[in-house]
Amino acid sequence: MQRLIQKIAERITAEYTRLSIVSNPDGVLTNPVVQSHLLSECGLNVVVGSQLQLRIHYELIYKASENDRFVYVCPNTDTLLPDMVQEARVTDFSIGQLFPLFADKNLLQQLSFEELIILSHKMGTRRINMAEGKRMVEDIRNEENEKRKHSAEHYRQKLQSVALEWRMMGQTVKAISDVIADAALAGVFDQLTEEWTHVNESFQGWLDSNYFALQNSNPLLRPACVNSVLPHLADKFGSGDKIALVVVDGLAFWQWRILARYLQKNHFTIKEDFTTAWLPTITMLSRQAIFRGDRPQMDYKQSPEAERRLWKDFWQQVGMLSYELQYLYDNEEFAINEGVNRLAYVTVEMDHKMHASRDMRDLAVLTDVWAPRFCEQLRVLKDMGYTIYLTSDHGSSAATGQRPLTQVEKVFLYKDGSRGKRHLIYNSDHTSEQRKLYDSASENMKLLSRDNWLAVRDFGAFERSGVSLITHGGSSYTEVVVPFVQL
């Protein structure tokens, strides 16, 4: 992949400036996999937006940075303001520019990036006419489909062989998550629907019998739910110990298993465990539960400042001083104050990648590209003498739209965080509407109904029929089971 990525970088950048502004009609630069590889392999930050959005980024981010390189992708470069034009290399780019000897440029635009990589290796420096190009693409697709069939059968057998022993949950979680990670990286997870449905249905049985008791369990030995993370750390460590809590927004346990492989290569010592997200699996509730160290509150307004207050309040209540506490968020400078013994670091990069993914393979590849870079940040904390605990507020699930909410249904879902693609939270006055929706949706989706909320158990979503997406809020295995790991 590096060769094709390098060619793209050479086409859209210039040595004399760290800013490029590109018109990209075929949209290849909006592909999250391409963006991630341009960042990891070439150090290029791709920013896609309207001219107003890019202008704001230029003033607030580009001008404030000294060394970062940016590629702005916009629909029309003709109406840019003069100061940006003078600063940047302004150009247009389409994937056809990298394949000048391939006659059918329209066919090129229909190929996935993985198919383009294979095509670039196969054609070499030969001129390919329209008919030959069509045959070549058909051969590539047939070969890839054949590989996936064999690969899918391999992972199907592996998933079927996992003993779903929820009483030995640590072993079960690890075995399932390794199969998910490898199948997703191989691009065949979507072919394991029947087997994955069986695993998730078994997990729903465990959840009904055990999950809600975990929210009130003793945190002394381990935090069984995310609201016990801080009480567990408070009980285990003294005020003089240097502890860093790293919260990776949107990191499912199977994605952690990808990250773990890179940490092992970098000689990290890992004590692996898992915990469970708060239901519904949304940031407003589950990350709040982490930083509150208690049950989340519905009137809470999610923000980094709110989390900073919760973090300091919790530790000050157990006797620590303000100067010993620090909270860092993704877009803040990664600078740690002297004397800090309780550090919180929240990164939302993985959550953004999750929402940008089209399928599980996208998400797996993006995780695989992100993981080595993230190891470097964790190494900084280790070198500063911190014991690191890594966790997440929720995972995610591949889902397919069943139907959108009607306007009447939306009337009763008006508070912040009250409606999502895989969850709904009602005001306590509207439980009858909650029951109506539960009854009507059960024909297409399996729902968990509890208190004043609903969460999707299976792989449906409140979205237009047939639309595929990666999201969260439901109670599926990959949304609920998240890492709790000591490094």
Side-chain angles (χ1 to χ4, degrees):
M1 187 174 293
Q2 190 171 6
R3 179 182 166 195
L4 191 58
I5 288 290
Q6 190 63 43
K7 285 184 176 180
I8 294 174
E10 290 170 357
R11 281 278 181 175
I12 62 179
T13 61
E15 291 185 1
Y16 61 81
T17 180
R18 58 190 182 89
L19 177 64
S20 298
I21 303 177
V22 183
S23 171
N24 179 221
D26 63 13
V28 69
L29 295 179
T30 66
N31 185 321
V33 174
V34 176
Q35 293 175 1
S36 192
H37 278 284
L38 283 171
L39 178 59
S40 64
E41 297 175 22
C42 306
L44 296 176
N45 297 275
V46 180
V47 183
V48 182
S50 65
Q51 291 203 16
L52 176 60
Q53 291 169 326
L54 295 178
R55 184 73 204 186
I56 293 171
H57 188 280
Y58 179 76
E59 294 294 339
L60 299 181
I61 307 297
Y62 176 78
K63 286 186 175 181
S65 64
E66 296 182 358
N67 301 311
D68 293 343
R69 302 171 69 202
F70 295 93
V71 176
Y72 288 176
V73 180
C74 65
N76 184 4
T77 59
D78 295 334
T79 56
L80 295 168
L81 292 176
D83 61 333
M84 292 178 68
V85 172
Q86 188 174 3
E87 177 75 14
R89 183 197 179 189
V90 181
T91 187
D92 65 291
F93 174 76
S94 65
I95 198 63
Q97 294 171 9
L98 301 187
F99 294 85
L101 301 180
F102 193 90
D104 194 343
K105 298 297 191 285
N106 289 329
L107 181 58
L108 284 175
Q109 295 179 19
Q110 299 171 27
L111 302 185
S112 70
F113 193 67
E114 291 76 12
E115 290 169 341
L116 288 169
I117 293 168
I118 299 170
L119 178 64
S120 68
H121 289 303
K122 282 185 174 290
M123 64 177 289
T125 57
R126 292 188 298 124
R127 185 175 297 278
I128 307 297
N129 62 33
M130 301 280 280
E132 188 179 1
K134 185 177 180 180
R135 288 195 301 271
M136 186 176 286
V137 168
E138 287 176 352
D139 289 344
I140 289 172
R141 287 177 170 169
N142 289 335
E143 289 170 12
E144 289 302 296
N145 286 336
E146 198 61 31
K147 287 179 185 177
R148 288 195 181 100
K149 284 179 185 176
H150 294 301
S151 182
E153 184 57 34
H154 169 71
Y155 291 115
R156 184 173 291 112
Q157 292 176 6
K158 290 191 72 172
L159 198 53
Q160 289 171 342
S161 69
V162 174
L164 301 179
E165 294 285 351
W166 301 111
R167 291 172 297 178
M168 303 172 63
M169 198 163 178
Q171 296 178 24
T172 304
V173 163
K174 182 177 178 180
I176 292 171
S177 298
D178 281 343
V179 178
I180 298 172
D182 292 337
L185 284 168
V188 298
F189 181 82
D190 59 348
Q191 297 180 44
L192 308 179
T193 303
E194 183 178 341
E195 292 74 22
W196 182 235
T197 297
H198 173 68
V199 171
N200 187 59
E201 287 177 348
S202 177
F203 175 73
Q204 296 304 308
W206 172 88
L207 186 145
D208 289 340
S209 301
N210 299 275
Y211 170 81
F212 294 99
L214 300 181
Q215 295 178 341
N216 301 310
S217 62
N218 190 326
L220 182 62
L221 295 178
R222 59 181 299 273
C225 190
V226 289
N227 62 311
S228 295
V229 167
L230 293 195
H232 174 77
L233 297 179
D235 184 80
K236 188 171 182 178
F237 295 99
S239 60
D241 296 317
K242 295 183 69 172
I243 306 301
L245 177 64
V246 177
V247 181
V248 184
D249 189 358
L251 188 78
F253 194 89
W254 69 267
Q255 293 169 276
W256 149 253
R257 294 295 298 164
I258 294 176
L259 173 60
R261 297 167 190 176
Y262 288 96
L263 290 169
Q264 288 166 346
K265 289 178 184 177
N266 284 274
H267 309 294
F268 279 79
T269 300
I270 300 171
K271 293 182 180 179
E272 183 180 79
D273 201 351
F274 70 93
T275 187
T276 53
W278 196 270
L279 285 172
T281 51
I282 60 173
T283 301
M284 184 186 83
L285 296 180
S286 202
R287 202 154 84 211
Q288 179 197 165
I290 293 174
F291 283 99
R292 190 176 294 280
D294 204 344
R295 303 177 72 87
Q297 299 176 4
M298 284 305 302
D299 59 354
Y300 173 80
K301 299 294 184 183
Q302 174 66 39
S303 71
E305 281 306 315
E307 290 174 358
R308 183 176 281 110
R309 286 193 299 271
L310 290 175
W311 176 251
K312 291 188 174 182
D313 287 348
F314 179 89
W315 290 111
Q316 287 175 340
Q317 286 172 11
V318 298
M320 296 193 69
L321 301 176
S322 180
Y323 74 86
E324 298 177 293
L325 313 173
Q326 189 176 359
Y327 169 99
L328 290 174
Y329 190 72
D330 235 352
N331 59 0
E332 299 173 337
E333 184 181 1
F334 197 69
I336 299 165
N337 300 331
E338 188 175 349
V340 170
N341 287 337
R342 292 294 184 273
L343 173 70
Y345 173 53
V346 175
T347 171
V348 298
E349 181 181 356
M350 204 64 250
D351 187 71
H352 293 163
K353 293 183 185 302
M354 176 261 291
H355 286 291
S357 298
R358 299 162 297 181
D359 53 32
M360 288 286 279
R361 184 177 189 192
D362 266 6
L363 184 54
V365 170
L366 291 172
T367 304
D368 196 51
V369 172
W370 160 85
R373 289 190 292 108
F374 194 62
C375 287
E376 296 174 7
Q377 284 186 295
L378 296 176
R379 175 57 66 190
V380 171
L381 295 178
K382 288 299 294 181
D383 289 346
M384 294 181 70
Y386 284 97
T387 298
I388 301 171
Y389 279 84
L390 184 147
T391 191
S392 180
D393 48 358
H394 58 77
S396 60
S397 177
T400 303
Q402 301 300 314
R403 69 167 182 85
L405 295 170
T406 66
Q407 292 301 318
V408 173
E409 289 167 340
K410 291 178 181 179
V411 167
F412 303 102
L413 299 160
Y414 52 82
K415 290 189 175 182
D416 287 348
S418 64
R419 62 179 185 243
K421 302 299 184 183
R422 288 179 53 80
H423 84 280
L424 303 172
I425 303 175
Y426 289 83
N427 186 293
S428 57
D429 298 333
H430 301 141
T431 52
S432 61
E433 283 75 20
Q434 178 182 348
R435 174 54 57 183
K436 288 177 186 175
L437 192 138
Y438 177 81
D439 291 339
S440 65
S442 61
E443 299 175 5
N444 299 318
M445 289 186 281
K446 294 180 179 179
L447 300 179
L448 170 60
S449 179
R450 180 95 175 182
D451 301 326
N452 66 326
W453 53 266
L454 297 170
V456 181
R457 292 182 183 270
D458 57 12
F459 313 118
F462 294 108
E463 179 58 274
R464 296 191 318 277
S465 178
V467 172
S468 297
L469 65 161
I470 306 286
T471 188
H472 58 95
S475 67
S476 73
Y477 171 90
T478 52
E479 291 164 294
V480 172
V481 180
V482 294
F484 180 72
V485 179
Q486 180 184 336
L487 302 173

